Amino acid sequence: MQKLLYVGVLLTGVVIVASGFAIWKPVQLRELAALFGGYEGARLVHFFAMVAIVLFLVVHVVLAILMPKSLRAMIRGR
Protein backbone atom coordinates (compact mmCIF):
# COMPACT_ATOMS: atom_id res chain seq x y z
CA MET A 1 0.00 0.00 0.00
CA GLN A 2 2.83 2.39 0.87
CA LYS A 3 4.55 1.90 -2.48
CA LEU A 4 1.24 2.52 -4.25
CA LEU A 5 0.83 5.82 -2.40
CA TYR A 6 4.35 6.91 -3.31
CA VAL A 7 3.74 6.08 -6.97
CA GLY A 8 0.47 8.03 -6.74
CA VAL A 9 2.28 11.09 -5.38
CA LEU A 10 4.85 10.88 -8.17
CA LEU A 11 2.09 10.70 -10.77
CA THR A 12 0.32 13.59 -9.05
CA GLY A 13 3.57 15.54 -9.38
CA VAL A 14 3.58 14.92 -13.13
CA VAL A 15 -0.05 16.06 -13.35
CA ILE A 16 0.60 19.20 -11.33
CA VAL A 17 3.55 20.17 -13.54
CA ALA A 18 1.58 19.53 -16.75
CA SER A 19 -1.45 21.46 -15.50
CA GLY A 20 0.86 24.24 -14.33
CA PHE A 21 2.27 24.57 -17.83
CA ALA A 22 -1.28 24.61 -19.23
CA ILE A 23 -2.16 27.47 -16.85
CA TRP A 24 1.08 29.34 -17.48
CA LYS A 25 0.90 29.32 -21.29
CA PRO A 26 -2.67 28.40 -22.27
CA VAL A 27 -2.42 29.92 -25.76
CA GLN A 28 0.96 28.48 -26.70
CA LEU A 29 0.15 25.09 -25.14
CA ARG A 30 -3.51 24.92 -26.18
CA GLU A 31 -3.34 21.16 -26.86
CA LEU A 32 -2.13 20.55 -23.33
CA ALA A 33 -4.78 22.88 -21.92
CA ALA A 34 -7.39 21.05 -23.99
CA LEU A 35 -6.38 17.76 -22.30
CA PHE A 36 -7.50 19.29 -19.02
CA GLY A 37 -10.70 20.73 -20.45
CA GLY A 38 -9.34 24.20 -21.12
CA TYR A 39 -7.86 26.80 -18.83
CA GLU A 40 -10.50 26.44 -16.11
CA GLY A 41 -10.19 22.66 -16.13
CA ALA A 42 -6.42 22.93 -15.81
CA ARG A 43 -6.86 25.27 -12.84
CA LEU A 44 -9.16 22.78 -11.11
CA VAL A 45 -6.85 19.83 -11.78
CA HIS A 46 -3.89 21.87 -10.55
CA PHE A 47 -5.72 22.83 -7.35
CA PHE A 48 -6.88 19.30 -6.51
CA ALA A 49 -3.46 17.84 -7.29
CA MET A 50 -1.96 20.38 -4.89
CA VAL A 51 -4.51 19.39 -2.23
CA ALA A 52 -3.60 15.72 -2.71
CA ILE A 53 0.12 16.42 -2.30
CA VAL A 54 -0.42 18.56 0.81
CA LEU A 55 -2.65 15.89 2.38
CA PHE A 56 -0.02 13.26 1.63
CA LEU A 57 2.65 15.39 3.29
CA VAL A 58 0.52 16.08 6.36
CA VAL A 59 -0.32 12.40 6.84
CA HIS A 60 3.31 11.45 6.22
CA VAL A 61 4.61 13.88 8.86
CA VAL A 62 1.93 12.92 11.40
CA LEU A 63 2.70 9.22 10.99
CA ALA A 64 6.44 9.91 11.35
CA ILE A 65 5.80 11.84 14.57
CA LEU A 66 3.53 9.10 15.95
CA MET A 67 6.31 6.54 15.47
CA PRO A 68 9.27 8.17 17.28
CA LYS A 69 11.60 5.20 16.79
CA SER A 70 11.16 5.31 13.02
CA LEU A 71 11.70 9.08 12.97
CA ARG A 72 14.91 8.67 14.97
CA ALA A 73 16.05 5.93 12.59
CA MET A 74 15.36 8.14 9.55
CA ILE A 75 17.39 11.00 11.02
CA ARG A 76 20.30 8.87 12.26
CA GLY A 77 20.30 6.41 9.38
CA ARG A 78 20.15 3.37 11.65
Side-chain angles (χ1 to χ4, degrees):
M1 184 65 166
Q2 187 177 7
K3 287 182 183 181
L4 184 64
L5 286 174
Y6 281 108
V7 169
V9 165
L10 289 174
L11 292 175
T12 304
V14 171
V15 168
I16 206 164
V17 168
S19 62
F21 278 126
I23 294 168
W24 180 47
K25 298 276 188 175
V27 175
Q28 292 86 348
L29 301 170
R30 70 175 112 328
E31 294 85 9
L32 182 60
L35 285 175
F36 295 109
Y39 180 79
E40 289 299 320
R43 283 184 61 229
L44 282 172
V45 169
H46 194 75
F47 176 77
F48 286 115
M50 181 268 313
V51 169
I53 291 172
V54 168
L55 285 175
F56 173 81
L57 288 174
V58 167
V59 170
H60 190 78
V61 169
V62 167
L63 289 175
I65 290 170
L66 289 176
M67 299 293 179
K69 289 183 180 181
S70 66
L71 182 60
R72 228 174 291 132
M74 284 187 271
I75 292 171
R76 291 182 181 169
R78 299 184 220 167

